[in-house]
Amino acid sequence: IKLPQTLQEIGNCVFQEALVKTLEIPYNVHSISTIAFYKMKKLEEIEFKNPVPATITLSSPSDNINSLLNSENDNLHTIYVPIDATVAYKVPAGWSQHASKFREKVKIGPHGYTSFYLENENFEVPAGCTAYIIKSVTQEGTTNFGRTTEQVIPAGSVIPKQTGFILKGTAGSTVTYRANLTGVTEVNVTGNLLVGTATEQEISGAGYKYYLFGHGAVGQGFYYQTGRDGSSMKLGAHRAGLKLSTSGFAPAKELIFNFEGATTNGISTVEQTAEPRTDVIYDLQGRRVKNPVNGIYIVNGKKVVISK
């Protein structure tokens, strides 16, 4: 069933006994009857595009507002809502009883990473993913090259709201996650250098350099945004970037995201096994080198003298 994007109201029994497993409710829908989804016993997933929950209207004066998506939808296990909207859906009557079913989605970039930020709710790192925050930056022998030091946040951990972070997952995949969890212990993110925004916004300020996260000349890392020379950055909604103080320090133009050398967040139940990896080598100008000759190079983020 494909609904028109102009649809605004969904009345009584509109989808009664419809044999569909998934359903998408367009952004403009602002009113839904309590029995709109009556006896949709095959329905497994429903997705709402509007971050503001629709008003639930009673089918009759004796109707129960909490009957929406309830006992008549036996197989419904997931209700998708927009990014940063779980907190809004958990409040109103008719929606709040479905708190355990709410999920949100984020797209992983083509190289296996995305920056992310939630303004109003915390974030549980989903299975198959790893998150990182940036704790420090180290200069590597040139004013144009450096590397970051990360803290690993493993799957199952909960990141506090208003925290910029990097999420690693399967390249090009769409990841489902839980948000706005209560009664959980959140990760300590003190000292995180990443900042983010809930809406598209330009971030700037004297005494700092600003970097976007992406894949560039020195691999996956942080780079000045084109035309801004580090003086500012324009972030998309729910994205994060690096804000680095210039006090007593001349930050590099390009920074390697050194996730292999990242430290864990101290959760004792998580074990990480080191895997063999190929040396990543750059010259002092930040160019990738496959067959180095005699000289000084950056090998796996460390300065090394190679003599053959």
Side-chain angles (χ1 to χ4, degrees), residues 233-297:
M233 62 181 172
K234 188 173 184 179
L235 293 175
H238 307 296
R239 291 291 177 258
L242 185 65
K243 179 182 179 181
L244 190 58
S245 173
T246 58
S247 178
F249 178 55
K253 182 178 180 180
E254 300 168 337
L255 304 171
I256 287 181
F257 181 60
N258 185 37
F259 64 87
E260 288 96 343
T263 58
T264 66
N265 69 342
I267 298 178
S268 59
T269 56
V270 177
E271 296 182 1
Q272 295 186 335
T273 302
E275 298 180 355
R277 58 187 172 92
T278 303
D279 287 339
V280 180
I281 305 173
Y282 297 92
D283 63 19
L284 294 183
Q285 283 69 52
R287 297 172 299 199
R288 184 75 176 265
V289 178
K290 291 186 177 179
N291 299 300
V293 295
N294 294 346
I296 301 175
Y297 296 87

Side-chain angles (χ1 to χ4, degrees), residues 10 48 64 86 91 96 115 122 131 134 167 183 201 210 271 276-277 294 303:
I10 300 178
F48 294 91
N64 180 358
T86 296
V91 174
S96 58
S115 68
N122 57 24
I134 306 302
L167 186 65
Q201 182 178 349
Y210 299 87
E271 296 182 1
R277 58 187 172 92
N294 294 346
K303 188 185 297 182

Side-chain angles (χ1 to χ4, degrees), residues 30-226:
H30 60 76
S31 176
I32 302 175
S33 166
T34 52
I35 57 172
F37 309 106
Y38 185 61
K39 290 189 176 180
M40 291 185 72
K41 294 186 178 296
K42 297 290 185 181
L43 186 63
E44 297 177 357
E45 299 179 355
I46 187 167
E47 181 170 359
F48 294 91
K49 291 296 187 179
N50 196 325
V52 179
T55 299
I56 300 174
T57 59
L58 301 180
S59 59
S60 68
S62 61
D63 194 14
N64 180 358
I65 197 170
N66 290 322
S67 64
L68 181 73
L69 295 172
N70 215 326
S71 59
E72 298 295 341
N73 308 106
D74 299 337
N75 292 313
L76 181 65
H77 55 73
T78 306
I79 301 174
Y80 290 109
V81 298
I83 291 174
D84 221 5
T86 296
V87 62
Y89 274 81
K90 280 188 173 182
V91 174
W95 297 104
S96 58
Q97 76 270 23
H98 303 299
S100 64
K101 297 179 180 179
F102 291 132
R103 299 292 186 275
E104 300 177 11
K105 301 177 182 179
V106 60
K107 180 76 176 289
I108 303 295
H111 297 283
Y113 298 91
T114 188
S115 68
F116 205 47
Y117 175 88
L118 295 177
E119 178 72 22
N120 301 305
E121 50 193 36
N122 57 24
F123 172 95
E124 182 184 49
V125 181
C129 293
T130 305
Y132 304 87
I133 59 174
I134 306 302
K135 301 291 289 196
S136 65
V137 170
T138 303
Q139 204 78 12
E140 293 291 347
T142 170
T143 58
N144 292 319
F145 181 71
R147 66 186 178 95
T148 62
T149 300
E150 297 80 29
Q151 175 180 313
V152 178
I153 304 175
S157 304
V158 178
I159 300 174
K161 65 181 181 180
Q162 300 175 7
T163 301
F165 61 94
I166 305 301
L167 186 65
K168 178 183 178 183
T170 301
S173 66
T174 296
V175 174
T176 297
Y177 63 90
R178 297 195 302 165
N180 195 49
L181 303 178
T182 58
V184 297
T185 300
E186 297 179 337
V187 173
N188 184 347
V189 294
T190 303
N192 182 25
L193 299 178
L194 293 171
V195 296
T197 177
T199 58
E200 183 177 84
Q201 182 178 349
E202 181 173 338
I203 299 177
S204 63
Y208 294 91
K209 286 291 186 181
Y210 299 87
Y211 301 78
L212 292 183
F213 183 71
H215 196 274
V218 295
Q220 196 69 43
F222 295 88
Y223 299 86
Y224 288 169
Q225 192 168 18
T226 303

